Amino acid sequence: MLAHHTLSILGIIMALVLGESGTEVNAVLFGSEITNPLLQMRWFLRETGHYHSFTGDVVDFLFAALFTGVRIGVGAHLLFCEMVSPKPKWFVKVGGVAMYAVSWCFMFSIWRFAWRKSSKKYHTWRSRRSEERQLKHNGHLKTH
């Protein structure tokens, strides 16, 4: 997170000082911050005790989908355009690669979180289903 914010600040300063690459910096900042409302919603759900609900699952799914689509998908296209363009200076390109690399670090963390959460929900569902099946067969739950 520190690298993300440091690169963002340096990008803004660079664009202001040089008077160029403002479009690239704004596009990166927009893509970086578009998922922020979902992160804030997640925090509010946690604080109010509603995170472990269908709404929490929807917010997590939308966050992961938006992050993947915008920061990884659209970000790859924008990075490619920046890299093949002769206009941006070399350090602007290096900054773009660095910011994209930070997005991939976040992406791995998000995928790992989503995998753990999905696996936990799947195992809970399977055990509940197994208990329901046992209840249908003998009329009461088996205790261990």
Side-chain angles (χ1 to χ4, degrees):
M1 193 57 74
L2 185 59
H4 160 75
H5 285 103
T6 301
L7 288 169
S8 297
I9 291 167
L10 290 174
I12 292 168
I13 291 169
M14 185 256 342
L16 289 171
V17 169
L18 294 177
E20 56 186 63
S21 295
T23 303
E24 292 93 337
V25 170
N26 279 322
V28 168
L29 291 176
F30 176 78
S32 295
E33 297 304 325
I34 196 166
T35 55
N36 199 20
L38 292 168
L39 279 178
Q40 299 308 315
M41 174 66 86
R42 191 169 184 263
W43 182 84
F44 281 115
L45 288 171
R46 278 190 183 282
E47 288 297 310
T48 60
H50 294 95
Y51 176 69
H52 298 289
S53 66
F54 179 71
T55 305
D57 292 342
V58 169
V59 168
D60 280 346
F61 174 79
L62 290 174
F63 172 75
L66 191 60
F67 191 99
T68 303
V70 174
R71 287 183 74 167
I72 302 302
V74 175
H77 177 71
L78 291 175
L79 182 62
F80 174 77
C81 291
E82 181 180 48
M83 297 306 280
V84 298
S85 175
K87 276 190 148 192
K89 295 186 176 0
W90 68 270
F91 50 86
V92 174
K93 293 180 181 192
V94 169
V97 170
M99 194 65 144
Y100 192 67
V102 168
S103 290
W104 269 104
C105 291
F106 286 151
M107 189 76 259
F108 286 128
S109 178
I110 291 166
W111 284 344
R112 192 171 57 242
F113 164 78
W115 179 260
R116 282 194 310 257
K117 184 174 180 177
S118 299
S119 294
K120 186 177 178 181
K121 286 195 171 282
Y122 174 73
H123 289 299
T124 302
W125 174 78
R126 288 283 303 218
S127 67
R128 194 175 299 142
R129 189 169 169 224
S130 175
E131 288 174 358
E132 288 172 0
R133 234 182 290 140
Q134 260 187 339
L135 185 59
K136 283 181 182 178
H137 290 297
N138 62 13
H140 63 278
L141 291 176
K142 186 178 181 181
T143 59
H144 296 8

